[in-house]
Amino acid sequence: FRTVQHDGIRHSLSEIEKRLVALREPLGIPGGFNADNARQRAGAIERLADHLHGDIETWLRGESKFARERKAILEHGAHFRTASRQLHAALIHDTPEATLRGHCATIYSEWELLHRHIADCGAPDRDHNNELLIQNSVELVELEAMFL
């Protein structure tokens, strides 16, 4: 939502962010950006993206009636995998926080598209993919929380 160009919405999001930060301490949630933790999470996201891409290839390989969906999902998977690699590389090279936020926004956009396409695909036997989707979502949320 950081890319929204509406002043009212941006102000509301800023207020929500301030309240979340204020609630962090009373709830016992550690806050602040931790570069080592961020690098570990980004590495996990990159590994999960690679794993998910391979599983998608296997999952839809023999399903000819899902050929169009397979192509779109693989394309979005490749974009997500590239974004995960870029984020991980940026964290390894001590990139400024503003640039890291941009990488996070990009990876979230790519994740939303990929996740939506997988969820909308009616092909059977995607249980393993669902596990990877959950694991990726957890890592992405934990990483984003560091920037609040």
Side-chain angles (χ1 to χ4, degrees), residues 1 4-16:
F1 293 109
V4 173
Q5 297 301 318
H6 188 276
D7 288 340
I9 292 173
R10 289 181 69 95
H11 177 73
S12 294
L13 290 172
S14 176
E15 289 300 314
I16 291 168

Side-chain angles (χ1 to χ4, degrees), residues 54-71 73-74 118 121-126 129:
D55 280 6
I56 291 167
E57 285 182 323
T58 303
W59 170 49
L60 297 174
R61 183 175 291 140
E63 301 285 343
S64 59
K65 74 178 190 175
F66 295 103
R68 196 176 80 218
E69 288 93 341
R70 180 180 189 267
K71 182 180 177 190
I73 291 171
L74 284 171
I118 291 172
C121 183
D125 301 326
R126 68 171 178 213
N129 291 336

Side-chain angles (χ1 to χ4, degrees), residues 29-40:
I29 300 170
F33 181 75
N34 179 304
D36 290 333
N37 191 356
R39 280 189 283 276
Q40 288 176 355

